[in-house]
């Protein structure tokens, strides 16, 4: 896929604007009830979204799915998965992340920095390294993107809940070469997701409303083959002390702002 400019979204006074940066090696534009749909350009299918919600403080461990639980492009939400793989590899080596690794991981999550993601994607072993980590974390429907194109990793909303559980739940036994993220690793990912830059706090946070707390990671890309947008948001929303894991994946929006609106409507409807 040819290289395209990268765009990030900024929310201000209820409006989204796009600013340009570079995403050369990835070759992408990135920065609920029943399946949701919005208007798409003539000749294209409507945009769709799928939501998965898990009450983390409830007794069940199966998420409630709103829409068809099919595969979508991850765009930048895969950066949480990349970081989880990096942390598992460090755990296996009996060490903490190095200063260099933290210098890459923190902007990758907090600012959705793509250059940092490129470097860490290579370090974890690209798709094969992601697959090894995901097997340990219990993901069953996520496939790493081809070559350097981590943004074209494919996943489902239910698999994203499995990843969020690996980060936000109490966790199981963590051992070198097996098991999930240990308590320190989980706390590190949660901290970064709780401190994303303000212009990237849209998405599943809309499900909580005023006064709720959130920890999230968003992703967005414009496919060069269709010019349509994939827009996703995953994270934990805490409402009146009650914790919910929420994943909303979408594709086919005519613009990024349309995709953000679709994701937020879907998140609110799923929580209702």
């Amino acid at each position: 896929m040819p290289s395209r400019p990268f765009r990030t979204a900024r929310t201000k006074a209820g409006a989204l604007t796009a600013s340009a940066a570079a995403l050369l090696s990835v070759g992408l534009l990135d920065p609920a009830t029943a399946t949701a749909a919005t208007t798409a350009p003539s000749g294209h299918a409507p945009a769709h979204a799928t939501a998965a919600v898990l009450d983390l403080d409830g007794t069940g461990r199966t998420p409630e799915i709103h829409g068809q639980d099919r595969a979508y492009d991850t765009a930048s939400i895969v950066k949480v998965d990349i970081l989880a793989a990096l942390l598992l590899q460090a755990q296996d080596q009996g060490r903490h992340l190095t200063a260099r690794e933290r210098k890459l991981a923190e902007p990758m999550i907090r600012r959705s920095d793509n250059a940092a993601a490129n470097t860490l994607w290579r370090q974890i072993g690209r798709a094969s390294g992601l697959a090894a980590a995901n097997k340990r974390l219990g993901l069953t429907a996520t496939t790493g993107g081809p070559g350097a194109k981590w943004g074209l990793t494919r996943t489902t909303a239910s698999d994203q809940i499995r990843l969020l559980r690996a980060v936000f739940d109490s966790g199981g036994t963590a051992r070198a070469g097996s098991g999930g993220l240990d308590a320190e690793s989980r706390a590190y990912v949660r901290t970064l997701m709780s401190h994303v830059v303000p212009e990237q706090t849209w998405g599943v946070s809309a499900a909580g409303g005023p006064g709720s707390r959130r920890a999230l990671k968003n992703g967005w890309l414009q496919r060069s083959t269709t010019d349509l947008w994939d827009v996703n948001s995953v994270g934990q929303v805490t409402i009146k002390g009650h914790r919910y894991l929420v994943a909303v994946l979408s594709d086919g929006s005519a613009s990024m702002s349309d995709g953000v609106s679709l994701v937020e409507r879907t998140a609110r409807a799923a929580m209702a």
Side-chain angles (χ1 to χ4, degrees), residues 27 32 163 205 235 262:
L163 177 59
S205 56
L262 173 60

Side-chain angles (χ1 to χ4, degrees), residues 80 88 120 153:
V80 176
L88 285 176
L120 293 179
T153 296

